[in-house]
Amino acid sequence: MRVHVADHPLIAHKLTYLRDKRTDTPTFRRLADELVTLLAYEATREVRVTPFDIETPVGPTSGIHLATPKPLVVPILRAGLGMLDGMMRMLPTAEVGFVGMVRNEKTLEATTYANRLPDDLANRQCYVLDPMLATGGTLAAAVHYLVDRGADDITAITLLCAPEGIALLEEKVADVQPPIRLVTGAVDERLNDQGYIVPGLGDAGDRLYGVV
Ligand code: URA
């Protein structure tokens, strides 16, 4: 697994306000959206492109556009939805697949409760969105879901990670070739006994959408 921690003052600034418990839900959503747009810049560094020729008003030249099949963006419900718009702003022609996962708050095991994905993901570049890499179980399960459908190029984008989650994800996807990429805004100190990232930002889904 290749890990890229985006080290940029704008990301650190926005993350600080995102973490702050005084930040209200509308501001939290906007900050998450802006952060993803910045992280998407790093995460799409290896997006596949095809050369093509154009004419400017001054003369012919060649450029590139996104290759076909188009990338697939996969937000993990529920909190990953808060990252979708920011990602689609950068990849407007991408397709979107959905995976619903919930973790058991006692065992911290992830189970799938919904999915809407193409059956065949051969040759698709996939970008998996989940704001919090905590235990690593949810992302690992999502990656295997995509690999089972033939995906061979997977990038996970998270806002925050716990070191324990990175280690577990690395172990659980060690057999995935080529190795997945992980792009994140920051690596925090640790996980607490309830599986929350410390200092983290609390429950990302609740802060985005309220406690339901
Ligand atoms: N999920 C969250 O929303 N927050 C955490 O800190 C860990 C998992």
Side-chain angles (χ1 to χ4, degrees), residues 103 132 134 195-197 201-205:
R103 70 173 184 170
M132 310 297 274
Y196 280 89
I197 297 176
L201 50 74
D203 188 300

Side-chain angles (χ1 to χ4, degrees), residues 68-107:
T68 304
K70 299 287 186 238
L72 183 74
V73 175
V74 184
I76 300 183
L77 308 182
R78 150 179 87 133
L81 274 186
M83 300 170 74
L84 182 59
D85 285 352
M87 190 69 192
M88 296 307 282
R89 197 169 300 122
M90 299 303 276
L91 282 180
T93 56
E95 291 179 358
V96 184
F98 297 92
V99 177
M101 286 192 166
V102 65
R103 70 173 184 170
N104 180 310
E105 294 299 333
K106 290 213 176 80
T107 63

Side-chain angles (χ1 to χ4, degrees), residues 15 19 130-134 158-162 184-186 188 197 200-201:
L15 271 178
R19 293 175 186 282
D130 193 358
M132 310 297 274
L133 171 49
T158 70
L159 301 180
L160 293 182
C161 291
T184 187
D188 276 9
I197 297 176
L201 50 74

Side-chain angles (χ1 to χ4, degrees), residues 2 10 33 40 44 53 69 98 102 106 111-112 122 131 144 149 173-174 195-196 207:
R2 292 189 282 152
L10 275 184
D33 183 73
T44 52
D53 296 330
F98 297 92
V102 65
K106 290 213 176 80
T111 49
T112 308
H144 283 289
R149 286 172 159 72
V173 302
Y196 280 89
R207 294 200 63 189

